[in-house]
Amino acid sequence: MEKKLEQQPTDLLKIVLFGPESTGKTTLAKDLAKHYNTNWVPEYAREYLQAKWETTHKTCEPEDLIPIAIGQMALENKIAEQTKEILICDTDLLETKVYSEAYYIGSCDPVLEAYALKNTYHLYLLTYIDIPWEKDDLRDKPDQRDKMFAYFRNTLIKYDRNFVTLKGTRENRLKSAINAIENLQKNMIQFTDQDLEQLRQKGISKEKVLNQVETFKAGIPFVNLIAAAVLDKGINKYSTEEEKDLIALFQTKKESLQLLKFVPASGAASRMFKAMFNFIEAYDPKQKTLAAYIEEKGDKAVQKFVSGIKNFPFYEKIIAKIGEKDSDGAMAHAFVTYMLSNEGLNYGFYPKGLLPFHQYEDGSATPFEEHLKEAALYAASGKKANLHFTISPQHQEMFAEEEAAASPKISKKTGVVFNIGYSNQKPATDTLAVNLDNTPFRNQDGSILFRPGGHGALIENLNDVTADIIFIKNIDNVVIAKNLEAVANSKKMLAGVLLQVQEKAFDYAAKLEATEISSALLDEIANFLQQKLNVRFDTNFEQLTNTEKTAVLKAKINRPIRVCGMVKNEGEPGGGPFFIQDGDGNLSLQIIESAQINTDDNAQMDILNNSTHFNPVDLVCGVKNYKGEKYNLLDFVDSKQGFITGKTKEGKELKALELPGLWNGAMAYWNTIFVEVPLVTFNPVKTVNDLLKPTHQV
């Protein structure tokens, strides 16, 4: 069977029509074939199922999928042999896979799936549902068009297929399709054998590279802010009594739940010490005094570092090694040099999570250790706490050593046993770098340059773990011991919010599976989604039939849920909570970074300036559906919320692509709740001088 599903190699440009039933695919396939004077591959399922209908009066059933797939590939391979340049395909095996999952058995035959993903095409033309439904013997899903279109679109995104969405009249669709094909022909990348081997080793498909090139060409549009989320309008605030009730709810249920603390920890400490690296490079204590250097350079970072030097948790350790010096300048230079150099502590190489952050009477503590203390208070169930750290491969051994030292110590103090896992950012999440003309940037050895995709790549790592409740917090956001209880209570409160809303969401999700649902119940569910999960509906929602409303509500309620702590903005840079509108007119509540906002647009800046809260990366997540099945989190990413940045390499300018951020675009299609949390929960260490803040002084 496997050979019959295999696509025969050709040099043809292959275009696929892709989308739900009755969206004009066959008409467009014929029009394109006529325009390019070429062949097109009909949908074999039409012939197969029409014959079945006429003999048995039955539509498609699960057992038909493999014969349909085999027939489709036989037809494609046969017509490909008779074609010269462009082949138009009315469907492909990826569409068969979608029908298998969404229409029939909820899954796909492994062999069919393997070839659906292995067979390659240059461009997918995704047909929208804005043309009237046409009934025939074989079409049977008129009430699920929105849901099915979303499923088809998400499939193309999930598997990195290069696609454009076609809307409008027959003429408009044909014109858009021709433009897309001509752009593709004009900018086709010729991959060498060396390129293909490089892609294979990294686990990156040609389609993914081509898709990223198209992203560079099109650019990533700024988000469209509609309003800042503020208290009682997008951000919830609970009274002291309500918080106690939410904490009690979590405490009551946590022993029966699987809990996990997920900590992004791959960041190196080099950025923390940027000003200090500059200092030891620029300052020679033999040439001038420290005061003269600071006045000349206006180096406030060094001034602050030196004035608070005795309050750093590594002060005594360094002084014991370098001894006293004859001047402030010599002392400061020797201190910073030993702190950063290979011959000294080499802190510039360290992962941020393994630096000493806090100095206690019995020794210093790293962020890794502080996260264990936190986890013991709110992420433990049955006296066991599960933690997962995403780290860089070169730091694996260092984290293992820290775990061996810290875990038994904190276990003895807390009575909690720690189960700690690690993962690395996947090479397949690296992103292409391009020249200014959007061609792949090549290294001196001729290989294509790929760069790490940013923290958004960690959605893959998050997708690989599971639990009933997942707490997410950055590695550098830790507190000293006296603030642990306040932080733990805040986390428990957020978890209580999740459990409270999740219980209702699960109940409604189950009821939506019933055969008949009353209008009153549909209105009740829609109101719940709006009031509790900040979901917004299209303006035509009220005009839909009950069957159509049910399909929309199912799609909206069956999503992961994130409860995000928000602190009052006191001038920290970074993301904040906003209502935004996407290109399809959909409103949603999102965490948006300032780089995603058009600062030249006065109206957008007014909204930005009206924001009152800041995102401290303090998330509590529910990633399972009402049946206890884990969602595929990659289905809920908005690939259009990435970032394009300018960089240089070897003196040449290039453009780099960052993936949608983990708590930004990577969670764009989650259901979202924002809750105000105390400022004490937000204590990031971005520069070494942040360790001098009172919140990090014991």
Side-chain angles (χ1 to χ4, degrees), residues 386-555:
N386 301 306
L387 295 95
H388 186 95
F389 293 84
T390 63
I391 63 175
S392 297
Q394 66 265 33
H395 298 144
Q396 195 91 34
E397 188 175 334
M398 297 173 72
F399 272 94
E401 291 174 0
E402 176 67 5
E403 179 185 342
S407 183
K409 179 174 70 174
I410 306 304
S411 287
K412 186 176 180 180
K413 289 182 178 179
T414 62
V416 172
V417 176
F418 298 101
N419 175 37
I420 302 173
Y422 303 93
S423 64
N424 310 132
Q425 186 172 314
K426 298 178 181 180
T429 63
D430 289 352
T431 56
L432 177 73
V434 297
N435 297 299
L436 298 186
D437 64 356
N438 298 316
T439 57
F441 187 100
R442 293 186 179 273
N443 298 305
Q444 289 185 346
D445 63 1
S447 62
I448 298 173
L449 175 63
F450 288 93
R451 306 177 76 260
H455 66 70
L458 299 183
I459 193 66
E460 297 258 7
N461 303 66
L462 185 63
N463 198 39
D464 289 340
V465 300
T466 189
D468 297 310
I469 294 180
I470 299 178
F471 299 92
I472 301 180
K473 194 177 184 188
N474 273 343
I475 187 66
D476 65 347
N477 184 15
V478 289
V479 297
I480 54 180
K482 71 176 183 180
N483 293 328
L484 275 173
E485 185 178 359
V487 168
N489 283 338
S490 177
K491 282 286 195 181
K492 292 175 185 178
M493 182 266 291
L494 295 179
V497 173
L498 174 64
L499 289 172
Q500 189 179 69
V501 75
Q502 199 176 52
E503 181 179 6
K504 198 69 176 172
F506 284 175
D507 178 56
Y508 284 142
K511 286 177 178 175
L512 284 169
E513 296 298 331
T515 7
E516 291 187 14
I517 305 173
S518 69
S519 297
L521 180 57
L522 291 174
D523 290 343
E524 183 182 324
I525 296 172
N527 185 63
F528 165 79
L529 283 165
Q530 286 178 306
Q531 298 299 318
K532 298 298 184 182
L533 288 171
N534 297 293
V535 171
R536 296 296 180 263
F537 296 96
D538 290 342
T539 52
N540 69 338
F541 179 75
E542 291 303 324
Q543 281 70 55
L544 299 178
T545 66
N546 279 4
T547 304
E548 290 171 332
K549 283 184 177 180
T550 300
V552 171
L553 293 175
K554 280 183 181 179

Side-chain angles (χ1 to χ4, degrees), residues 114-304:
Y115 282 92
L117 302 183
K118 179 181 179 182
N119 295 346
T120 60
Y121 302 86
H122 296 90
L123 177 66
Y124 283 78
L125 301 175
L126 176 62
T127 50
Y128 193 55
I129 55 175
D130 57 347
I131 62 175
W133 169 271
E134 291 188 11
K135 180 175 175 57
D136 67 15
D137 295 338
L138 306 178
R139 293 172 176 160
D140 59 351
K141 304 288 184 184
D143 56 343
Q144 297 186 20
R145 302 188 83 196
D146 283 325
K147 178 181 178 182
M148 286 308 302
F149 177 79
Y151 203 105
F152 275 90
R153 182 178 183 275
N154 290 339
T155 297
L156 293 175
I157 293 171
K158 177 179 179 180
Y159 296 113
D160 300 308
R161 297 308 196 245
N162 183 27
F163 76 95
V164 295
T165 302
L166 303 181
K167 297 181 178 181
T169 65
R170 178 175 177 175
E171 292 75 20
N172 287 341
R173 289 176 175 224
L174 178 61
K175 183 179 178 181
S176 297
I178 291 169
N179 286 340
I181 293 170
E182 288 179 352
N183 285 335
L184 182 67
Q185 289 173 309
K186 191 189 305 179
N187 299 295
M188 285 290 288
I189 297 172
Q190 299 300 318
F191 291 103
T192 66
D193 290 342
Q194 178 186 348
D195 294 338
L196 296 175
E197 177 59 21
Q198 182 183 2
L199 297 184
R200 188 193 66 77
Q201 290 183 4
K202 292 184 76 68
I204 298 176
S205 66
K206 286 194 299 182
E207 288 77 18
K208 190 171 193 175
V209 174
L210 292 170
N211 207 23
Q212 289 180 1
V213 169
E214 291 305 312
T215 298
F216 280 115
K217 290 176 185 173
I220 295 177
F222 291 115
V223 297
N224 181 20
L225 302 182
I226 299 302
V230 296
L231 288 180
D232 298 324
K233 291 183 180 179
I235 301 178
N236 299 334
K237 182 176 176 62
Y238 296 100
S239 67
T240 303
E241 287 305 311
E242 287 172 327
E243 288 185 354
K244 287 179 180 178
D245 290 342
L246 290 165
I247 291 170
L249 174 64
F250 171 68
Q251 292 286 77
T252 301
K253 294 195 171 187
K254 74 169 188 172
E255 294 304 320
S256 61
L257 299 173
Q258 184 184 9
L259 309 177
L260 174 71
K261 185 175 184 182
F262 184 90
V263 185
S266 53
S270 52
R271 290 184 184 178
M272 269 182 65
F273 297 107
K274 182 180 178 181
M276 299 303 114
F277 276 115
N278 292 340
F279 170 64
I280 56 176
E281 181 72 23
Y283 177 58
D284 182 353
K286 295 177 182 177
Q287 299 296 320
K288 63 183 69 174
T289 65
L290 181 61
Y293 166 81
I294 291 174
E295 183 176 356
E296 177 187 325
K297 298 289 185 180
D299 198 332
K300 294 181 179 179
V302 169
Q303 185 178 36
K304 186 174 182 179

